[in-house]
Amino acid sequence: MAYRSLRQFLERLEQAGELVRVREPVDLRLEMAALADRAAKQGGPALLFESPSGGRLPVAMNLFGTRRRASWALSCDDLEEPARELQELLHTAPPQGLWEKLKMLPRLGKLASLTPKHVGSGPVQELVEREPDLSDLPVLTTWPHDGGPFVTLPQVITRDPETGLRNVGMYRLQVLGPRRLAMHWQLHKTATAHYRAYRKRGERMPVAIALGGDPALTYCASAPLPPGVDEYLFAGFLRKEGVPLVKGVTVDLEVPAEADVVVEGYVDPRAPLVREGPFGDHTGYYSLADDYPALEVTAVTRRRDAVYPATVVGPPPMEDFWMGKATERLFLPMLQMVFPEVVDMSFPPEGVFHNLCLLSMRKEFPGHARKLMHGLWGSGQMSATKTLVVFDDDVDVQDWSQAAWRALANVDARRDLVIVDGPVDVLDHAAPAFGLGAKIGVDATRKWVEEGGREWPEPCVHPPEVVARMDQLYERLVAGAGRPRRMSLAAPPAASWTPRKGTG
Ligand SMILES: Cc1cc2nc3c(=O)[nH]c(=O)nc-3n(C[C@H](O)[C@H](O)[C@H](O)COP(=O)(O)O)c2cc1C
């Protein structure tokens, strides 16, 4: 079901016991982030801070913080459902390029209702301020050395001045003054390409920033759709209903009619850049201060009952892991259109997306794993993946322990590592240059004779019928007798450990 507002989503969470209302005074500086950090790390509930200081709008955090909530946010019970639908669609659409098919969605008869709908008015413009003060919004400072308060869950709407096509990206925004924001769109992102195009034309760039509304829209701003594929069309596909859009009050851009808040303004590409950051980032480190364009705000519009959505990124796992999980599941069928040999992929949280991707594949010829690596390093945002580990199709890449065991066993350091140079994520502080560095591919597949493999052993696996019978017996003997099913391999916590007498 499509949510008419962020509040409607919050109501659903509350009914399911997945929302906690925070009425205690909690500071916008550090405290809200620290509480949400804890909730995210423990798979805890979404948080609604009802009355931030200064009578500012309520703040919602950790909305996507579990697989269940991330699924509900995308109007499904589990992320595999839209992934399956997408796979079916991609297989039934006429055989053209991958993204062409997605652009064709609206033309495919029954899907016409999924395109954005243009409406005359919407709740997001119930209140209009043409001389706004951004400090009226409850913008959080999430880490102690941050350069200031940052908007962390925005949908940044821009348009390509050449083609007129819209882009919606999630790029954090630093509040620099009552009507000024720093725009952290990174070097390789679509809005940066739009900015370059406006700079070339010597024209001001209109920008609108939507906050809240149906959480599917928020997710879509983070989805790595290629330039020219409208994020709000993709949101329409997920929520099974076109996104209603209304014209901005001071910019010639359309904004989601049911969003909670919209900040409108323009970036003048002829104006000097401004200092942005530092910011406690999703790598778990601070990204250093750097120069980015400034947005001059011309209006803030909002619902009467607006809620301000926010997240905190930092040392993993965090809420954004679940947004990344949605991307992993939804983009697998799209990746498989180009690389049909791919069986599954997974991004363990410690890899913070761009540092580690595990892939399983159906290997069909010598060097196939390397072909796949190079293909991925040439594809959209996958090109920034610092470590790619490729497995055979009998490895479950969602089981990180199994993947580590198989990779460590199957790799010869001289033969199976591939190191290439190229663009890397701009947040990679280890890269020798900004946005440019080395990436490593690990071929953890079974090596064929042509690849320098010798006779290759099989992994040890019991026959399934034996496993099924013995699982039952184990349950009866162990779990049924009240013993714990699993024992932890970890050492006991230091506080509960006391040396035995005589052991020194
Ligand atoms: C919580 C969160 C914060 C993000 N912040 C930024 C950011 O500040 N700058 C940036 O370039 N990308 C950021 N990203 C990643 C982009 O949203 C992502 O790469 C997206 O696909 C970019 O869209 P585009 O391809 O339309 O440029 C963030 C993602 C998430 C989930």
Side-chain angles (χ1 to χ4, degrees), residues 35-59:
L35 196 71
D37 181 7
R38 192 181 172 98
K41 290 211 171 24
Q42 298 193 344
L47 303 170
L48 180 63
F49 298 92
E50 290 196 321
S51 40
S53 57
R56 296 183 180 92
L57 301 178
V59 177

Side-chain angles (χ1 to χ4, degrees), residues 364-447:
E364 286 171 1
F365 46 81
H368 199 166
R370 285 168 187 247
K371 176 175 184 276
L372 178 61
M373 289 172 197
H374 291 292
L376 292 167
W377 281 325
S379 304
Q381 290 189 35
M382 283 300 279
S383 63
T385 310
K386 183 148 88 167
T387 312
L388 271 177
V389 192
V390 182
F391 298 88
D392 285 308
D393 58 358
D394 63 337
V395 176
D396 178 2
V397 291
Q398 303 298 337
D399 180 342
W400 300 319
S401 160
Q402 186 190 133
W405 157 53
R406 298 288 282 263
L408 294 167
N410 276 359
V411 168
D412 175 77
R414 193 166 300 286
R415 184 191 55 204
D416 299 329
L417 304 183
V418 183
I419 297 181
V420 296
D421 296 307
V424 296
D425 199 291
V426 302
L427 300 184
D428 184 351
H429 56 255
F434 181 78
L436 186 65
K439 295 170 266 196
I440 185 164
V442 181
D443 180 354
T445 61
R446 150 202 294 259
K447 297 305 145 357

Side-chain angles (χ1 to χ4, degrees), residues 455-477:
E455 192 182 354
W456 205 269
E458 292 294 328
C460 312
V461 184
H462 282 129
E465 61 289 359
V466 172
V467 173
R469 259 202 330 275
M470 291 306 110
D471 272 357
Q472 280 179 9
L473 184 58
Y474 187 83
E475 283 292 307
R476 219 172 54 236
L477 295 178

Side-chain angles (χ1 to χ4, degrees), residues 10-249:
L10 294 172
E11 275 161 27
R12 176 173 186 188
L13 298 186
E14 189 156 40
Q15 277 163 15
E18 296 244 356
L19 179 82
V20 166
R21 288 175 183 269
V22 184
R23 298 193 171 104
E24 290 74 2
V26 180
D27 209 311
L28 288 168
R29 191 182 145 72
L30 308 185
E31 289 189 347
M32 284 188 190
L35 196 71
D37 181 7
R38 192 181 172 98
K41 290 211 171 24
Q42 298 193 344
L47 303 170
L48 180 63
F49 298 92
E50 290 196 321
S51 40
S53 57
R56 296 183 180 92
L57 301 178
V59 177
M61 296 189 78
N62 204 25
L63 296 168
F64 297 88
T66 60
R67 182 169 182 133
R68 187 152 100 131
R69 285 206 300 281
S71 304
W72 288 357
L74 305 193
S75 293
C76 62
D77 288 325
D78 188 74
L79 298 171
E80 297 297 349
E81 288 166 26
R84 247 191 323 273
E85 281 169 36
L86 210 50
Q87 190 174 30
E88 280 165 22
L89 190 77
L90 291 170
H91 280 97
T92 51
Q96 291 187 11
L98 162 64
W99 302 111
E100 286 307 309
K101 288 183 177 176
L102 203 65
K103 280 194 240 171
M104 279 183 50
L105 280 182
R107 281 186 266 146
L108 296 172
K110 61 182 177 156
L111 298 174
S113 60
L114 306 185
T115 47
K117 291 182 283 200
H118 308 283
V119 295
S121 63
V124 73
Q125 292 175 347
E126 280 168 353
L127 301 176
V128 176
E129 285 180 77
R130 287 169 199 270
E131 296 202 344
D133 183 345
L134 293 174
S135 66
D136 290 342
L137 291 175
V139 184
L140 278 61
T141 302
T142 51
W143 294 102
H145 303 305
D146 281 2
F150 286 82
V151 178
T152 49
L153 272 185
Q155 305 158 45
V156 178
I157 305 165
T158 58
R159 195 178 46 218
D160 184 329
E162 309 293 335
T163 63
L165 294 174
R166 172 175 38 237
N167 187 71
V168 188
M170 181 169 290
Y171 319 114
R172 70 167 185 253
L173 312 158
Q174 183 176 351
V175 178
L176 298 179
R179 268 171 241 149
R180 194 160 224 229
L181 290 164
M183 309 301 288
H184 185 257
W185 43 50
Q186 295 162 353
L187 184 62
H188 309 120
K189 303 299 170 75
T190 310
T192 311
H194 291 181
Y195 170 76
R196 280 194 294 262
Y198 279 98
R199 195 173 54 191
K200 211 164 147 195
R201 295 160 75 107
E203 288 172 15
R204 287 198 331 191
M205 172 182 184
V207 179
I209 297 148
L211 295 160
D214 186 331
L217 278 59
T218 301
Y219 161 72
C220 285
S222 77
L225 292 164
V229 179
D230 184 4
E231 281 79 6
Y232 287 150
L233 169 59
F234 193 51
F237 164 78
L238 292 172
R239 66 205 288 271
K240 300 188 173 50
E241 198 180 307
V243 176
L245 297 177
V246 66
K247 238 173 104 39
V249 294

